Amino acid sequence: MKFKISFMMLLISALSYSQIGRTYPDGHGDRVFFPYGDISFADEVVSFKIGDPGPIEGFGPEEALGIPNYEGNPNKYFATLGYGGELVVRFTDNVLYDIPGPDLFILEIGALTEPVDAYISKDGKDWISVGRTDGGFSALDIADYVEKSDVFRYVKVVDIKAKKGGKWPGADIDAIGAIGSSINFQLNAAVTFDTGKAKLKENTSELADIAKKIKDLKGLVLIEGYTDNIGSTESNITLSKNRADAVKNFLVDNAKIDAKNITTKALGESNPVADNATEEGRQKNRRVELIVFQNTEIEQKNVTGTWKTTKNGNLRIYRYGDVIAGWYENDGGEILGKMSDDHTMQGQWIENKSGKTCNTAIYDRKNWGSLVLEFNEDFTEFKGQWGYCDAEASTTGWDANRN
Ligand SMILES: [Ca+2]
Ligand SMILES: [Ca+2]
Ligand SMILES: [Ca+2]
């Protein structure tokens, strides 16, 4: 058996954290893997109707946004719906769509598990029921309720009135995430196009920047064109189609992205993200959205699983496409990175304490370093090298076998 350690550095600063997979605490002692990392979670509160009775001591609906962060803290970081309460949230830098297996993740915390009815929507108006959670950590599969190619940006959770009493009546939501996630880039039409025109402006730097990121993601691209509600429905459809096509042509001609991997949709004035009654709102509605779906399997068995390490107990590793994330069962230490070739993972380790404290933090932790894991041919063991902070991974002894 031969291991070949490569020393190519993958500096964390060169990576965009928002798009790196990570495992997150599920509020009940386990962790759950999101291959798109922090962007997977809900970004904005659209509306909140607090239940009756509401919590004696409540925390705002914003506590349900962003990454799971409750981690057993008894009095913070979750939104209590109240008895029969209703919360609507929106994704802005990602979308929800159907992938094999569960897609929508609702993290409800606390000793009492309180179910919610979950709904999803494309526009925040027409809702599709996607089932009832059991309370606690819940992952719902939307497959039975949607078309394969549909994308959703709104989620509604409604407390089912299971439990009326206590300090926090109703479900307590820490986070809402899309496991079946993808990355959503928004292009403001005012920056990209002249008013009413579909020809790209001279300065295409914003689009070029997005195109580069899309090319690196190597996925299937959906381009959606949208307008405000000024003008006829028909002319708005035409304008949004022409703009989506102009963006597609740019991706093909300038970024050399294969045209067969790009689909366009002309949506005209539908799905407004802001109020068309104001100029500011109309400006936000005039936009082109680019959604990238990575064409990979949710789990790749050769790496995903529990590994028995020589020094630190069990390490649980997950893989989605090239993305790797993992955590140690005994101390919550984490690893994250990417497969740089068939058998090599390059990335970082993060701990709560270590022999050296770095100047910068990763996920609020200043104890981290470089890590290279080299898997053997049949993925039954790996050998690793590591270093502190951004020093080269050159210390040996980070080894494990399949558990
Ligand atoms: Ca998000
Ligand atoms: Ca699914
Ligand atoms: Ca939270």
Side-chain angles (χ1 to χ4, degrees):
M1 201 172 308
K2 226 172 77 192
F3 291 100
K4 193 173 86 271
I5 302 287
S6 75
F7 291 101
M8 197 180 85
M9 275 298 296
L10 186 72
L11 285 178
I12 207 71
S13 55
L15 297 167
S16 159
Y17 261 100
S18 63
Q19 287 163 24
I20 289 186
R22 193 189 176 197
T23 64
Y24 297 89
D26 74 352
H28 301 270
D30 209 338
R31 292 177 75 93
V32 57
F33 176 52
F34 281 81
Y36 287 89
D38 291 2
I39 70 160
S40 312
F41 298 93
D43 301 289
E44 286 177 12
V45 172
V46 177
S47 65
F48 180 49
K49 285 180 217 155
I50 197 159
D52 183 19
I56 288 167
E57 188 186 358
F59 310 100
E62 294 77 20
E63 300 293 347
L65 300 178
I67 67 170
N69 58 352
Y70 168 66
E71 293 196 77
N73 189 323
N75 290 316
K76 263 201 283 194
Y77 304 132
F78 60 88
T80 297
L81 298 187
Y83 188 70
E86 178 187 308
L87 172 65
V88 177
V89 295
R90 191 162 83 90
F91 298 114
T92 59
D93 56 6
N94 63 308
V95 298
L96 166 70
Y97 71 108
D98 179 41
I99 57 162
D103 315 291
L104 175 63
F105 163 97
I106 296 167
L107 177 52
E108 202 261 331
I109 56 87
L112 296 174
T113 52
E114 294 160 308
V116 292
D117 283 332
Y119 304 83
I120 60 175
S121 172
K122 293 178 189 177
D123 57 6
K125 292 191 191 86
D126 295 326
W127 294 96
I128 299 169
S129 169
V130 292
R132 177 169 287 186
T133 67
D134 298 326
F137 164 81
S138 295
L140 299 173
D141 189 344
I142 65 172
D144 289 348
Y145 313 101
V146 305
E147 297 291 328
K148 258 284 179 254
S149 62
D150 287 349
V151 300
F152 300 89
R153 294 187 175 86
Y154 296 83
V155 176
K156 175 160 73 180
V157 291
V158 183
D159 179 68
I160 67 154
K161 300 187 172 180
K163 291 173 185 97
K164 200 168 189 171
K167 203 171 169 188
W168 294 287
D172 307 294
I173 309 292
D174 175 8
I176 296 172
I179 295 181
S181 202
S182 66
I183 299 167
N184 191 26
F185 299 98
Q186 284 202 21
L187 205 53
N188 186 332
V191 179
T192 317
F193 302 98
D194 287 324
T195 311
K197 302 262 165 45
K199 190 175 175 296
L200 294 175
K201 280 186 179 176
E202 287 287 309
N203 184 350
T204 52
S205 59
E206 188 192 1
L207 181 53
D209 196 39
I210 291 174
K212 191 188 171 306
K213 287 178 185 156
I214 289 176
K215 195 173 169 71
D216 289 346
L217 289 165
K218 297 188 192 87
L220 300 173
V221 187
L222 169 63
I223 303 173
E224 297 180 334
Y226 292 98
T227 64
D228 59 27
N229 70 345
I230 307 292
S232 72
T233 306
E234 210 169 74
S235 65
N236 282 334
I237 291 285
T238 306
L239 179 62
S240 65
K241 181 185 187 311
N242 292 341
R243 285 183 168 175
D245 285 344
V247 170
K248 176 180 174 174
N249 291 338
F250 182 90
L251 296 189
V252 173
D253 297 340
N254 295 64
K256 308 292 174 211
I257 295 170
D258 196 334
K260 75 174 189 317
N261 292 332
I262 306 175
T263 314
T264 59
K265 258 188 192 174
L267 291 154
E269 60 198 66
S270 65
N271 303 357
V273 291
D275 188 355
N276 269 315
T278 68
E279 175 46 36
E280 198 197 344
R282 288 193 294 275
Q283 164 132 10
K284 283 186 182 154
N285 292 333
R286 296 189 291 266
R287 69 202 191 276
V288 175
E289 304 218 11
L290 298 95
I291 303 157
V292 186
F293 305 94
Q294 279 183 295
N295 199 8
T296 47
E297 314 233 313
I298 184 77
E299 277 192 293
Q300 299 192 10
K301 297 289 182 211
N302 54 8
V303 172
T304 297
T306 303
W307 295 80
K308 191 172 186 230
T309 68
T310 48
K311 290 191 178 142
N312 200 20
N314 284 343
L315 171 62
R316 305 246 295 260
I317 306 183
Y318 303 84
R319 176 174 179 180
Y320 179 90
D322 289 337
V323 176
I324 301 285
W327 62 287
Y328 280 94
E329 287 177 353
N330 64 359
D331 65 2
E334 290 179 65
I335 67 165
L336 42 91
K338 287 196 164 186
M339 295 300 285
S340 58
D341 64 40
D342 285 352
H343 290 84
T344 312
M345 175 269 193
Q346 298 203 37
Q348 274 72 36
W349 54 270
I350 318 171
E351 297 280 358
N352 285 329
K353 58 174 189 229
S354 62
K356 222 178 229 178
T357 301
C358 311
N359 294 325
T360 55
I362 296 179
Y363 285 121
D364 299 330
R365 295 181 183 186
K366 285 193 164 181
N367 299 100
W368 57 272
S370 51
L371 178 66
V372 178
L373 300 183
E374 192 79 17
F375 294 88
N376 66 343
E377 198 55 35
D378 53 1
F379 292 94
T380 53
E381 55 178 293
F382 67 71
K383 290 191 181 304
Q385 298 199 7
W386 59 278
Y388 283 120
C389 308
D390 49 15
E392 191 174 89
S394 58
T395 307
T396 57
W398 194 306
D399 305 335
N401 295 298
R402 272 280 178 200
N403 200 357

